[in-house]
């Protein structure tokens, strides 16, 4: 049920019951996932007292995610999207309930392997969340509202990224792991009801279904053959891969900035706050002209912020730099999301969104590994500064090799 054509104001979007329900689904699912992520880390370390076991959490989640993501995109394109989203929400509920039962000692299983299995289930479920959101996004809004809608979606996503970990930490400290997992289950249930109440017209099912691997390959060929989309995805992937500094914040706090543990929370929140501010601005004033150039300048600004952060030795200056770092990343996220929505045929939204999710997840996970390896080889500050310079190089090469992206006006895609 799309918004009325011609009414593209920010307030009109929020008045749309379909879009409001979709945003509720996104933030509730994100809060559930983030609360579980924080609580699981505490839970496993409490059992093992082994830092290596914390590293296995990411591995236990990301491997199932990569295995399931291509098939998740295929299912989103071939099955009713709203019902598939409700099934994914049930998966989040099941994960939280199992973890709560483990924490409370209600299951006969001992050790950490039931926890890792639950994390693996979370990784599989997470593979569906973004494709479902992106596919339904295009069904509840008119095309001329996509740019504003992407801004609001970014704000909701970043809000979940900030509030979720903080809420999880407070719940564990106040009421214990069982309560925290229980609240995560409630959030997932809220996501389920948000989709259940969503009034949306589903696309007609395809008359014939291509073989699953052929269909997945079709989605990959579409992305690889679209210079604008591939350029935007690659630009985001390599900038986060080479310029991510979040994984190194604990080391910077102790070795460079000489601040207490509360400083880590401030530095972690600063990029998200910058991204939220930009998302709100772009929701009110969406980009239409010169979007490609703005995207490239935002990524170049992202690289400059990485360099400046690496050279800073003052805590509050570093926090301010990370605020602008998040703002530049927020521009990239909103523009890339808008391109993804406008340039993708409706029958391929699930597969294209899954490919985009693989790009993003690989950059985050591998970026942390890259940053740690470079810091070990070169030292903390040189590694970050070189990463920022590499991001500037990525922006320059993309501007050179992807002229269609450089000249992009979003109005041309509408």
């Amino acid at each position: 049920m799309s918004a009325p054509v011609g009414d593209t104001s920010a307030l009109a979007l929020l008045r749309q019951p379909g879009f409001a329900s979709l945003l509720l689904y996104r933030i509730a699912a994100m809060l559930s996932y983030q609360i579980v992520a924080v609580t699981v880390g505490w839970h496993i370390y409490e059992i093992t007292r082994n830092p290596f076991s914390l590293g296995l959490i990411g591995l236990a989640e990301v491997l199932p995610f990569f295995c399931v993501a291509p098939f998740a995109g295929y299912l989103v394109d071939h099955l009713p999207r709203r019902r598939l989203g409700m099934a994914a929400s049930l998966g989040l509920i099941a994960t939280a309930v199992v973890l709560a039962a483990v924490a409370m000692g209600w299951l006969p299983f001992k050790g950490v392997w039931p926890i890792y299995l639950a994390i693996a289930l979370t990784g599989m479920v997470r593979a569906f969340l973004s494709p479902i959101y992106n596919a339904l996004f295009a069904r509840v809004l008119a095309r001329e509202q996509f740019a504003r809608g992407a801004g609001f979606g970014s704000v909701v996503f970043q809000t979940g990224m900030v509030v979720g970990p903080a809420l999880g930490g407070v719940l564990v400290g106040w009421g214990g792991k069982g309560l925290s997992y229980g609240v995560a289950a409630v959030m997932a249930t809220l996501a389920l009801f948000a989709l259940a109440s969503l009034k949306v017209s589903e696309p007609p099912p395809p008359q014939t279904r291509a073989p699953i691997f052929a269909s997945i390959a079709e989605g990959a060929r579409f992305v690889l053959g679209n210079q604008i989309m591939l350029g935007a995805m690659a630009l985001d992937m390599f900038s986060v891969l080479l310029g991510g500094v979040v994984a190194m914040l604990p080391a910077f706090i102790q070795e460079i900035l000489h601040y207490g543990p509360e400083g880590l929370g401030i530095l972690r929140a600063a990029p998200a706050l910058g991204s939220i501010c930009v998302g709100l601005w772009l929701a009110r004033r969406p980009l239409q002209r010169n979007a490609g150039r703005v995207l490239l300048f935002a990524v170049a600004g992202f690289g400059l912020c990485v360099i400046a952060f690496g050279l800073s030795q003052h805590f509050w200056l570093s926090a301010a730099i990370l605020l602008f770092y998040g703002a530049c990343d927020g521009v990239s996220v909103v523009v890339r999301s808008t391109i993804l929505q406008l340039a993708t045929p409706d029958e391929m939204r699930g597969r294209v969104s899954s490919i985009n999710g693989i790009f993003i997840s690989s950059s985050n996970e591998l970026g942390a590994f890259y940053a740690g390896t470079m810091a070990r080889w070169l030292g903390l500050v040189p590694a970050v500064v070189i990463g920022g310079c590499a991001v500037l190089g990525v922006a320059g090469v993309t501007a050179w090799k992807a002229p269609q992206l450089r000249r992009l006006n979003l109005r041309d895609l509408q």
Side-chain angles (χ1 to χ4, degrees):
M1 184 176 294
S2 299
V5 175
D7 191 356
T8 62
S9 68
L11 192 57
L13 262 67
L14 295 179
R15 287 173 177 167
Q16 289 298 316
F19 189 54
S21 295
L22 190 61
L23 291 181
L24 178 59
Y25 156 74
R26 190 174 208 192
I27 194 168
M30 175 60 65
L31 288 174
S32 176
Y33 169 76
Q34 291 291 341
I35 291 171
V36 166
V38 169
T39 311
V40 157
W42 184 274
H43 192 174
I44 284 185
Y45 192 74
E46 194 175 56
I47 295 172
T48 65
R49 298 294 176 182
N50 183 356
F52 180 68
S53 64
L54 297 177
L56 292 178
I57 294 175
L59 189 65
E61 180 182 350
V62 76
L63 289 180
F65 173 86
F66 282 135
C67 292
V68 172
F71 302 98
Y74 173 85
L75 292 175
V76 170
D77 284 337
H78 290 83
L79 296 178
R81 296 160 176 180
R82 188 175 66 90
R83 293 182 181 178
L84 199 58
M86 294 170 66
S89 299
L90 283 173
L92 291 177
I93 295 171
T95 299
V97 169
V98 168
L99 288 169
V102 172
M104 301 301 292
W106 295 340
L107 297 179
F109 311 114
K110 304 297 181 183
V112 297
W113 70 265
I115 303 176
Y116 284 123
L117 286 178
I119 295 169
L121 176 61
T122 300
M124 289 186 282
V125 170
R126 188 166 69 89
F128 288 88
L129 298 180
S130 289
I132 289 166
Y133 170 80
N134 287 323
L136 291 174
F137 178 98
R139 305 300 299 181
V140 300
L141 295 180
R143 288 181 67 84
E144 59 267 29
Q145 295 176 315
F146 283 1
R148 289 189 191 275
F152 280 120
S154 176
V155 168
V156 166
F157 181 82
Q158 293 296 338
T159 300
M161 291 286 287
V162 173
V163 174
L167 182 58
V170 169
L171 290 169
V172 171
W174 180 60
K177 301 181 294 295
L179 175 64
S180 187
Y181 289 135
V183 172
V186 171
M187 291 293 105
T189 304
L190 183 60
L192 173 66
F193 281 112
L195 286 183
S197 64
L198 178 62
K199 305 298 183 183
V200 63
S201 60
E202 295 276 6
Q207 296 295 324
T208 59
R209 292 187 182 181
I212 184 168
F213 289 104
S215 182
I216 293 170
E218 181 187 15
R221 285 195 300 271
F222 176 81
V223 172
L224 294 175
N226 188 309
Q227 185 183 109
I228 293 174
M229 186 177 295
L230 180 62
M233 287 185 185
L235 189 64
D236 185 86
M237 182 183 76
F238 285 109
S239 62
V240 173
L241 174 65
L242 299 171
V245 299
V246 173
M248 296 293 102
L249 290 183
F252 267 91
I253 284 286
Q254 296 185 39
E255 298 182 21
I256 306 297
L257 303 176
H258 306 294
Y259 213 83
E262 68 278 6
L264 179 60
I266 295 173
L267 294 187
R268 286 292 298 267
L273 179 60
S275 185
I276 289 171
C277 292
V278 164
L280 289 172
W281 175 263
L282 292 178
R284 290 180 57 84
R285 300 178 180 272
L287 288 171
Q288 295 293 341
R289 299 180 58 190
N290 301 319
R293 291 182 182 180
V294 171
L295 173 61
L296 290 165
F297 277 119
V299 173
F302 181 87
L304 290 174
C305 288
V306 172
I307 295 171
F309 178 82
L311 297 176
S312 173
Q313 297 185 355
H314 301 282
F315 175 80
W316 289 109
L317 175 60
S318 296
I321 291 169
L322 287 180
L323 187 73
F324 285 103
Y325 167 99
C328 292
D329 186 53
V331 173
S332 176
V333 169
V334 172
V335 174
R336 178 173 47 80
S337 299
T338 307
I339 291 171
L340 188 73
Q341 292 292 349
L342 289 174
T344 306
D346 194 61
E347 68 274 9
M348 298 182 69
R349 292 190 184 279
R351 283 164 287 173
V352 171
S353 182
S354 291
I355 294 170
N356 179 65
I358 292 172
F359 270 70
I360 303 308
S361 293
S362 62
S363 64
N364 287 326
E365 301 293 339
L366 295 178
F369 177 75
Y370 165 83
T373 302
M374 293 292 287
R376 183 173 182 178
W377 286 350
L378 304 176
L380 194 58
V381 171
V384 171
V385 171
I386 290 173
C389 293
V391 172
L392 292 177
V394 167
V397 170
T398 304
W400 173 39
K401 290 291 188 179
Q404 292 180 24
L405 178 63
R406 185 180 69 244
R407 296 191 294 263
L408 173 68
N409 291 316
L410 290 178
R411 288 178 180 174
D412 297 339
L413 296 179
Q414 293 178 357

